[in-house]
Structures are given as C-alpha cells and as structure tokens.
Amino acid sequence: MNNHPIGIFDSGIGGLSIFGQISYLLPNENLIYVGDTAFLPYGTKSRDLIQDRAHKICSYLLSKHCKAIVVACNTATSVAIQKLRANFSVPIIGIEPAVKPATQQTRSRVIGILATEGTLEGEKFATLKQRFGNDITILHQPCTGLVEMIEAGDLNDKKLHELLKIFVLPLLECGADTLVLGCTHFPLIKPLIAYYAGPKVTILDPSIPVANELKRQLELKSLLLKEESGMYTFFQTGTNEQFEKFICKELGLEPILYSLNI
Ligand code: DGL
C-alpha cells in the first residue's frame, strides 16, 4: 500500500500551498490533487453542499486507492472533517487557522485572523477562540471575494488591492501584530498581504505543520514510501483557465491537468 498516492483537495488552487510543502517534505510520495473549481468558493456555501462535495471528492480519491487524504482547505475542514473521518477509514488530515502559534508569538496581545465566512462561523473556530482567547484579543476578518480574486490570478488588479486594504488595515489599527492566514488561498498572495501589513507584522501560514502532521501519521502506520517515485496528477472539476499556470508558477511543474466530472 505504501506506493499508493496521497489525495489532496481544496475548492480551487488554494491547496497548492499545502501541496508544495508536502512534495518538499515527502518527495517520494505520489500525489493526486483535486481543485473543486466548479463549486468555488466554499466560503459562502452551505454546510450541506460542502459536506456533499467533500464526500464525493474523498470517494473519488479512494477509488484511486489513496492511502491518506489531506483536506487542504480550512472551510471544508471546519464543516466536513468529522463526517469524513466517520465515513472513511484512511487517515484524513485537516487544517485550521494557526490561532495557538499566533497567541504564542504576539507581543501586542492582539492577533488578526483572515479567513472565509464558513471558517469563521464554524464551531471549530469558536472552540479555538475559547481555548486561546482568554487574555489575547482575537480579531477576525471574513475576506469575502478574496478567494475569487486570487483564482483569477491578476495580482495587479486594483480590486484585489482595495480588498486587501479593507481587510488588513482595520486589523492593524486595532493593534494586531500577528496575522493568521486562515484560508489556504492566502499564502499564494502572502507578499501582497505582507506589503499592506508592513514589516513589523508577523504572518503565519500553517502549511508546514499540516505536511508535518501528514508525515507523522504515515510514519505511525508504516505507510511512507521509501523508494523514489513522486508522480503528481492534477484534476479540476470546473474550468479555471489559470489553474495550469498556477501549478507551473507555485510548484515549478509542467502539469498535465485533467478535468473531473463528479
Ligand atoms: N482555500 C479554502 C480555505 O482554506 C477555501 C476557500 C473558498 O473556496 O472559499 O478555506
């Protein structure tokens, strides 16, 4: 089973930030990536729809014999991971906003979380706030529209810069010195976020801990692939023309991108 692939999915290109860390940490592993672009964005969709999409994608990945699945999406993790773990027996690794590390690093004792509505309204985030928000102010900013702008791929788009000002500057005005990227799309524009946040603000991206957790779980179950392989396959359910370009840009790969109808 060790040479079976690892499945990774997100609503779109956001999970490529996690894919990159996984391929770096576990270069031997075969990876299958699914971007559910036909249903993007997840952040404003109903729980039922996201749970249904997550179930369909995981069923597809298991039909490809995946030995583990990474939900490379904060929104889908928040809404669907419990059900996925109840329904499928392979290890399923999720992602959540890095609230704990942020509370450990902040000096101003004010942190800002940038995420989708779905993530910020979910129980998981409420629990994180309760656990770590005792003596720290946790500000949260729903970033409506940002995921679509990132998928469109034009980093010079005025609207994207306007949105970033609207989302980032109020957090700084309230004293945040640490910003958490609570959506896997946001690391793809980290330099722009850092530009508006300024040099004194720390920006946390949780993709490294997710890759580490995947490695830990595979090690525990003796599922790591020892010999060199590293075959990568990409699918999208919709028709984002930028998808292939993003894979080239983010991962330095010339991918074959398949269309997936599920
Ligand atoms: N990248 C995803 C996340 O981490 C989903 C964003 C969306 O589709 O709204 O939340």
Side-chain angles (χ1 to χ4, degrees), residues 1 3-4 13 16 22 39 45 76 86 107 125 145 190 219 237:
M1 191 170 172
N3 63 350
H4 290 191
I13 57 172
L16 294 176
I22 293 173
F39 289 85
K45 301 278 170 20
R107 291 198 184 146
F125 184 65
K190 191 171 169 186
E219 253 164 3
T237 57

Side-chain angles (χ1 to χ4, degrees), residues 12-246:
I13 57 172
L16 294 176
S17 58
I18 310 280
F19 186 106
Q21 289 301 336
I22 293 173
S23 60
Y24 177 73
L25 189 70
L26 303 170
N28 292 341
E29 299 292 338
N30 300 312
L31 307 177
I32 299 181
Y33 185 87
V34 176
D36 196 14
T37 46
F39 289 85
L40 180 129
Y42 279 178
T44 47
K45 301 278 170 20
S46 72
R47 285 176 70 84
D48 283 356
L49 182 117
I50 297 168
Q51 285 176 355
D52 181 54
R53 293 308 299 161
H55 188 90
K56 285 202 171 95
I57 294 167
C58 285
S59 300
Y60 177 75
L61 290 170
L62 289 178
S63 77
K64 296 279 173 195
H65 309 292
C66 284
K67 62 184 177 183
I69 292 174
V70 178
V71 184
C73 172
N74 291 265
T75 315
T77 299
S78 165
V79 170
I81 203 157
Q82 274 179 351
K83 278 202 164 174
L84 294 177
R85 286 185 177 140
N87 287 324
F88 302 107
S89 58
V90 297
I92 299 182
I93 290 93
I95 183 165
E96 63 183 23
V99 174
K100 184 180 174 190
T103 57
Q104 288 162 344
Q105 293 199 19
T106 177
R107 291 198 184 146
S108 65
R109 311 198 75 68
V110 183
I111 66 171
I113 318 292
L114 299 160
T116 67
E117 294 90 321
T119 298
L120 295 173
E121 286 161 10
E123 276 165 37
K124 255 183 178 287
F125 184 65
T127 312
L128 281 173
K129 266 186 101 168
Q130 223 168 28
R131 270 182 74 192
F132 300 109
N134 279 344
D135 54 350
I136 301 248
T137 305
I138 301 178
L139 306 168
H140 55 271
Q141 176 61 62
C143 298
T144 313
L146 196 53
V147 164
E148 293 94 313
M149 297 293 316
I150 296 170
E151 290 274 328
D154 181 1
L155 298 188
N156 295 317
D157 192 319
K158 270 192 184 161
K159 204 173 148 204
L160 169 64
H161 286 257
E162 280 310 311
L163 283 182
L164 284 174
K165 279 188 223 163
I166 292 169
F167 296 149
V168 173
L169 301 186
L171 299 174
L172 307 181
E173 277 156 25
C174 293
D177 68 349
T178 307
L179 297 183
V180 173
L181 305 184
C183 168
T184 53
H185 278 75
F186 301 165
L188 301 176
I189 56 157
K190 191 171 169 186
L192 282 186
I193 296 174
Y195 172 77
Y196 285 106
K200 290 187 186 144
V201 172
T202 305
I203 298 178
L204 295 181
D205 157 13
S207 46
I208 296 174
V210 172
N212 285 336
E213 176 59 16
L214 170 67
K215 185 176 178 205
R216 193 187 69 81
Q217 292 212 25
L218 293 177
E219 253 164 3
L220 210 66
K221 296 193 158 59
S222 305
L223 282 174
L224 280 176
L225 183 54
K226 297 282 189 298
E227 67 267 24
E228 253 178 64
S229 187
M231 278 179 22
Y232 302 148
T233 317
F234 297 88
F235 294 92
Q236 70 163 326
T237 57
T239 54
N240 182 356
E241 286 166 10
Q242 304 297 322
F243 210 98
E244 218 158 322
K245 272 195 211 151
F246 263 104

